[in-house]
Amino acid sequence: MRRIEVVGTPCDNILFSTGTAMFRYSQEDKRQMIKYQIELGLPNYNAADVRFLLEDIDPKFEFLILAPTELTEYIKEYEEYSNPNDECLFHDFRTKYVDFIQNNVENTATIQDTTIILGYSLLKEKIYLVIKAFSLKGLSSFLQKIIHYCSNKSIAFKAEKDIRWLELEQYMLETNEKRSGNYKDFLDKTLNGHNFTRFREIFQQIDAEGFFRKDFYDRVMHQENPQYPDQKIPIKQVSKYFSTYWKYSIHLNNRHKDILCLHDEMPTDENVDDYVFTFKPGLMKYYLKEWFEDFTVETIKHFSLDSFHVKYILPGKKFNFFVDEKKENIREIDIVLGIEKESCLKLIAIECKKTLSSDEIQDTNKKCREKVIDSGNNVFDAFLHIGCFKGDVKFDKKIEGTREKYKQSILEGTGSNMDVLYYAFIIKSCEDFTKKFAYILNDIFKNW
C-alpha cells in the first residue's frame, strides 16, 4: 500500500494541492495520516455555521479553500480512478463536507504539524467530525483547541479515543502472545476479599519453602463453625487447589536432597519424613509467573473509586519508544493504565512483583529510564510498583491517617527529557489495595 504525505514545496507526482499544502504518495511505506473522530452536541447546524464555529475556536486558523465543500466533488475529481490498495485522501472520510485548515502550532515550522483536513456531517442533534492530521503533535494541538472551547461553552464533546492513548499506541508492538485462561477459577477465588487474606498467608509459606505441612494446613484450611465453636468447617474453595505429596530425603555423597512425590507414589526404600501440601506443577507455574499480574488487573477493573474512572487498562504489552528496529529498546510493561478524573487523563505504567525488593525496584527503574524516558517519547505520568509481599525495600512515605507506608521518588531523565514520578507499595488485603491505590492516584492528580 502506498501512503500519502503532505509537503510544502512544489515537487513531482502531486495528487492534490490547495493553498500551501500539497499531497503526494510517500516514498516510505509507513503510516503518515492519522484519522480521529469526534462528536459535538450542536444541533441544527449548516456548513457555514461550522466555518463560523471554527473561526470562533481559533481566529488564527487559516482556511485553504473559500468555503466548506461537499466531499463527493473531491472524490470524483481526484480519486474516482485511484488504486483501492493505496491510501486515500478523501474516500474514507465518509462525511458530507470537507475543509482544509492550517493550524498555528507553537514551536514548529513543519507543514506536517500544521495541516488539518476536516470532514463533517450535520446531524439533527449533533455534528460528526473526522479529523485527518499528519502528526500526533498536529492532531493534539488542533484537538486541544476544540476541547478547550467546548469545555468553556459547555458543549457536549465525545471522542472515540483519548489523544494521549492514541499516542501510546504508536509505540506498541504487535505480539502473538496469549495469556493462559486455564486457571480463571483459581484467580476468581483469590479475588474474593475474605479468601485473599487466607491465600496470602498460604502463598507466603509456599514462597518460603515450596510447600506447607499438615499443622499449617489444618489451621488455614478450616474455619470455626458459628453454631458449634468447638468444631471446624473445611474451606473447600481454598483447599481444592492444593495436592498432597510425600516428602522424603535422598542421601548422596554425604549430602541429602529433599524430594516431593505424589501421595500414591510413596517410596519404599527411603526415609519418609512427612507429607506436605502444595500446588500441582501447572498451577504452580501459573502462580509464579502470571497470577499476581492477573490479580492486579482484575482488582483494578473492579475498583469503586468515587472521583476516578478506569478508562483504559492494557496488560502485558511490549513497546518500543525509540521507534527503531533494535531489540534492546523493547520494553515490556505489565499493565498500562489510563485513569480519568474530571476529563483529565493520566497514564500510569504498573510493574507487578510478587515480592517487592530494593533490587527489583532499582532494576525496573533503570529499564524505565533507559527504554522509556530517555527515548524522548515518554507518555507516562507515573511509574508504579505493586507487590504482594515485602522484601527489603524501605517505605519512606506515610499514608495520612494510617500507619501504612509507601515509597515515592523521582526518575530523572537525561538531557532535556522530563523527570517522572515513581511509587511503590505492597498490598495486605483487597481493602488495603483499594485504599493505597486511591491515595496514590489522588497524589498523582493533585501534585503532578
Side-chain angles (χ1 to χ4, degrees):
M1 173 187 285
R2 290 189 297 176
R3 303 291 186 173
I4 295 175
E5 64 179 347
V6 60
V7 294
T9 56
C11 58
D12 296 332
N13 302 320
I14 296 296
L15 301 173
F16 165 76
S17 66
T18 179
T20 56
M22 286 159 271
F23 305 90
R24 67 173 182 178
Y25 285 121
S26 171
Q27 301 302 314
E28 299 182 23
D29 187 22
K30 65 179 182 179
R31 187 177 70 173
Q32 302 289 333
M33 287 190 290
I34 305 165
K35 185 179 172 184
Y36 194 80
Q37 302 173 13
I38 60 175
E39 296 176 8
L40 304 183
L42 295 171
N44 302 316
Y45 262 53
N46 59 40
D49 292 334
V50 175
R51 174 64 73 87
F52 291 138
L53 172 69
L54 292 167
E55 290 174 340
D56 199 28
I57 290 173
D58 186 355
K60 295 182 180 179
F61 282 156
E62 179 186 350
F63 297 94
L64 304 181
I65 56 178
L66 292 177
T69 306
E70 289 199 12
L71 183 66
T72 52
E73 293 186 20
Y74 288 96
I75 293 175
K76 289 177 182 178
E77 186 170 355
Y78 297 102
E79 292 186 341
E80 186 173 358
Y81 302 107
S82 61
N83 187 332
N85 293 321
D86 290 333
E87 188 172 41
C88 59
L89 203 56
F90 302 109
H91 259 97
D92 61 344
F93 267 110
R94 300 179 67 185
T95 57
K96 185 171 183 178
Y97 298 97
V98 65
D99 210 341
F100 298 84
I101 301 170
Q102 287 290 349
N103 174 35
N104 179 33
V105 181
E106 294 182 0
N107 302 320
T108 183
T110 67
I111 197 166
Q112 288 80 17
D113 296 329
T114 61
T115 301
I116 297 293
I117 309 176
L118 185 65
Y120 52 92
S121 292
L122 307 171
L123 283 66
K124 184 176 181 180
E125 70 282 3
K126 62 187 175 182
I127 301 173
Y128 176 75
L129 297 174
V130 178
I131 306 166
K132 275 192 177 181
F134 291 83
S135 76
L136 277 167
K137 183 177 182 179
L139 175 60
S140 179
S141 172
F142 184 74
L143 193 60
Q144 290 306 318
K145 290 178 180 181
I146 296 177
I147 294 172
H148 181 72
Y149 181 87
C150 290
S151 177
N152 288 340
K153 300 289 185 179
S154 299
I155 298 171
F157 176 93
K158 182 181 178 181
E160 62 170 353
K161 195 173 292 184
D162 191 277
I163 183 64
R164 297 193 63 208
W165 194 259
L166 191 70
E167 185 178 1
L168 171 73
E169 288 182 330
Q170 73 172 328
Y171 306 117
M172 191 188 310
L173 303 179
E174 294 289 337
T175 61
N176 296 320
E177 298 175 12
K178 294 183 179 180
R179 305 289 290 183
S180 172
N182 297 333
Y183 301 103
K184 187 179 184 304
D185 180 70
F186 170 73
L187 173 64
D188 289 343
K189 292 296 188 295
T190 65
L191 289 165
N192 177 286
H194 178 71
N195 286 346
F196 176 74
T197 303
R198 197 174 299 270
F199 272 115
R200 187 173 184 272
E201 186 178 1
I202 295 169
F203 294 163
Q204 282 184 299
Q205 184 63 27
I206 287 179
D207 284 2
E209 294 192 65
F211 55 82
F212 51 93
R213 294 177 173 81
K214 191 175 185 306
D215 55 346
F216 183 89
Y217 180 94
D218 291 340
R219 179 170 64 82
V220 299
M221 299 297 181
H222 297 80
Q223 60 186 356
E224 289 186 359
N225 187 331
Q227 295 181 336
Y228 305 99
D230 294 337
Q231 296 181 1
K232 297 287 186 179
I233 302 174
I235 310 173
K236 294 183 179 179
Q237 58 185 351
V238 176
S239 63
K240 69 178 184 178
Y241 298 107
F242 301 93
S243 300
T244 309
Y245 293 80
W246 290 106
K247 175 179 173 291
Y248 67 102
S249 296
I250 294 178
H251 296 275
L252 295 170
N253 301 324
N254 298 321
R255 299 176 63 185
H256 72 275
K257 185 77 171 177
D258 287 339
I259 302 294
L260 299 183
C261 62
L262 292 173
H263 67 282
D264 58 353
E265 296 178 352
M266 178 179 175
T268 58
D269 57 343
E270 298 290 344
N271 179 34
V272 174
D273 299 321
D274 200 356
Y275 63 92
V276 296
F277 305 85
T278 191
F279 293 123
K280 287 187 176 180
L283 186 53
M284 178 67 86
K285 181 180 178 181
Y286 172 75
Y287 165 69
L288 294 174
K289 293 187 65 177
E290 299 178 4
W291 166 76
F292 188 54
E293 183 179 324
D294 289 348
F295 175 87
T296 302
V297 168
E298 293 302 318
T299 302
I300 293 174
K301 281 182 180 179
H302 296 93
F303 272 154
S304 179
L305 304 172
D306 293 338
S307 56
F308 299 104
H309 168 56
V310 180
K311 191 171 183 179
Y312 306 106
I313 185 164
L314 194 66
K317 292 294 183 180
K318 294 180 179 180
F319 300 85
N320 185 333
F321 291 92
F322 287 87
V323 198
D324 58 23
E325 302 298 323
K326 296 181 180 179
K327 290 184 178 180
E328 59 267 27
N329 286 332
I330 293 176
R331 176 79 179 108
E332 184 171 1
I333 299 176
D334 289 343
I335 305 169
V336 175
L337 202 62
I339 294 282
E340 192 173 51
K341 179 180 180 181
E342 298 174 354
S343 299
C344 176
L345 185 77
K346 298 287 187 181
L347 299 185
I348 302 170
I350 300 177
E351 294 295 329
C352 304
K353 299 297 181 185
K354 200 149 49 62
T355 299
L356 199 59
S357 67
S358 294
D359 286 344
E360 290 281 6
I361 292 177
Q362 185 176 358
D363 182 59
T364 301
N365 283 346
K366 183 174 182 291
K367 293 177 182 176
C368 291
R369 183 184 296 108
E370 294 177 351
K371 298 187 178 185
V372 183
I373 297 174
D374 288 348
S375 71
N377 293 317
N378 171 54
V379 298
F380 298 112
D381 298 286
F383 294 93
L384 181 57
H385 306 264
I386 301 177
C388 189
F389 310 119
K390 183 178 181 295
D392 61 347
V393 60
K394 293 181 180 179
F395 298 123
D396 51 4
K397 301 283 185 179
K398 190 173 182 179
I399 295 178
E400 295 177 12
T402 74
R403 300 177 64 182
E404 297 298 328
K405 292 185 176 182
Y406 66 100
K407 187 175 183 63
Q408 178 211 308
S409 191
I410 296 288
L411 279 175
E412 296 181 353
T414 59
S416 61
N417 296 315
M418 298 289 289
D419 299 341
V420 185
L421 279 173
Y422 81 85
Y423 297 80
F425 68 90
I426 62 164
I427 64 172
K428 298 178 181 179
S429 66
C430 294
E431 183 182 13
D432 181 62
F433 193 164
T434 303
K435 287 181 178 179
K436 289 177 178 175
F437 193 78
Y439 184 88
I440 286 172
L441 285 182
N442 272 309
D443 190 71
I444 292 172
F445 275 86
K446 181 179 178 180
N447 299 312
W448 311 100

